[in-house]
Amino acid sequence: ENNRTVTILQRSANHIVALKPPAVVCHHSGWTGSRSKAKRGEEPEIPMLQRVRDAIHDIDTRDLSEDDDSPPIRKVNLVHRLDRGASGALLLTYAEDGSDSDSEGNGKNAKGDTAQLIEAMQSNDSVKTYVALVRGEGILHGEDLKTKGWFEVSRAMKDDNGGEAKDATTWFNFVAGQSETGFDRPRMSLVLARPKQGRWHQIRRHLNGLSHPILGDSTHGVSRINREWKEGRNMPGERIALHLGRLRLFP
């Protein structure tokens, strides 16, 4: 993969939806350590924020002739984030004049489209549907989770810095699951997840609480199982089997 490759799924005058691949950070931060490669003299890591910004500029200028003036590069803001190892739909907006994003693209002073979409994303009416592959056949304490349809899991959570626990609710639907009958048929389930909030690792922690950790999750999963998938089933090293497949926001 080219270190600047990005797929634009949707674009309007007000927003952009890009496909975030696994093992790519949304933006540079001290937490992700994404600047460490450049410090070691290696090829720097290009975050999604920069990839999308450059891709939009390339699209807007590719039909210009040599005599045409190139428009300035437009800044973009992140409306939300996905974990480095996860993949899926990433929503961004253009940074409006007079409301520049901060150095990491967080849009802390943003107004207009960015603020409206952040508010819509945080609304109880928004629906974010993730797809996950988890360890386990969909049975918990003798109950077949695959027969429950959509069900709710609520457990208060602290963020990555500790502090006071806050409400966290996720709806799950165990779509399919299988028992292990050999290396070619591992014990696993396909799960849909719809978090109501955006707590730190919320889906990952809730699934671990159901004894069905996400495959590839080095923080909340099972190291031995993750190693089997990475060494024997070609799962990329930083891949978490979690994908944001659909975003539904209301004005």
Side-chain angles (χ1 to χ4, degrees):
E1 180 196 6
N2 186 300
N3 203 22
R4 294 180 180 271
T5 298
V6 65
T7 299
I8 304 297
L9 299 174
Q10 187 181 79
R11 182 189 179 193
S12 76
N14 308 105
H15 77 277
I16 309 150
V17 181
L19 176 61
K20 178 193 172 301
V24 177
V25 296
C26 289
H27 65 95
H28 286 308
S29 72
W31 175 258
T32 63
S34 53
R35 288 192 174 97
S36 58
K37 289 185 178 180
K39 292 179 180 178
R40 294 195 301 266
E42 302 174 9
E43 184 177 358
E45 185 171 352
I46 309 299
M48 285 300 297
L49 191 69
Q50 184 175 339
R51 292 185 187 206
V52 172
R53 181 199 67 191
D54 293 347
I56 293 300
H57 184 71
D58 289 344
I59 292 170
D60 289 344
T61 58
R62 63 187 174 189
D63 294 329
L64 296 179
S65 69
E66 294 182 359
D67 296 330
D68 292 328
D69 292 331
S70 178
I73 296 177
R74 300 180 68 181
K75 293 182 179 181
V76 293
N77 288 329
L78 290 167
V79 175
H80 67 116
R81 295 166 181 77
L82 295 172
D83 294 337
R84 179 200 287 266
S87 60
L90 187 68
L91 178 61
L92 306 95
T93 59
Y94 301 102
E96 296 87 1
D97 293 338
S99 59
D100 290 343
S101 61
D102 65 13
S103 60
E104 304 299 349
N106 293 319
K108 291 180 179 179
N109 299 316
K111 300 176 182 178
D113 297 330
T114 303
Q116 290 181 45
L117 281 173
I118 289 175
E119 183 177 349
M121 178 75 76
Q122 296 173 346
S123 166
N124 289 331
D125 294 326
S126 69
V127 181
K128 301 171 283 291
T129 305
Y130 290 78
V131 183
L133 288 177
V134 302
R135 173 67 173 177
E137 58 195 271
I139 306 294
L140 181 65
H141 305 312
E143 182 180 19
D144 189 348
L145 300 178
K146 300 184 295 298
T147 66
K148 292 172 65 67
W150 286 98
F151 65 93
E152 176 184 330
V153 173
S154 294
R155 178 166 61 89
M157 293 181 173
K158 296 181 180 180
D159 61 22
D160 54 324
N161 295 318
E164 182 181 357
K166 297 180 180 179
D167 292 340
T169 298
T170 308
W171 285 84
F172 291 107
N173 187 344
F174 277 66
V175 177
Q178 64 184 28
S179 59
E180 186 160 358
T181 58
F183 185 81
D184 293 333
R185 184 184 169 89
R187 185 162 63 97
M188 60 183 293
S189 294
L190 177 68
V191 182
L192 300 180
R194 290 176 175 168
K196 295 302 294 181
Q197 300 85 10
R199 309 299 183 208
W200 178 66
H201 293 179
Q202 178 170 326
I203 296 174
R204 296 161 61 178
R205 295 160 77 184
H206 273 163
L207 281 169
N208 185 47
L210 292 174
S211 299
H212 283 73
I214 296 177
L215 296 172
D217 190 342
S218 60
T219 304
H220 310 288
V222 181
S223 297
R224 177 181 61 83
I225 300 301
N226 292 338
R227 188 164 54 251
E228 288 179 4
W229 277 81
K230 290 173 182 178
E231 295 179 356
R233 299 188 177 92
N234 299 319
M235 176 180 281
E238 291 186 280
R239 177 52 152 147
I240 297 173
L242 181 65
H243 179 89
L244 178 53
R246 186 182 185 189
L247 276 171
R248 189 178 182 188
L249 306 182
F250 295 87

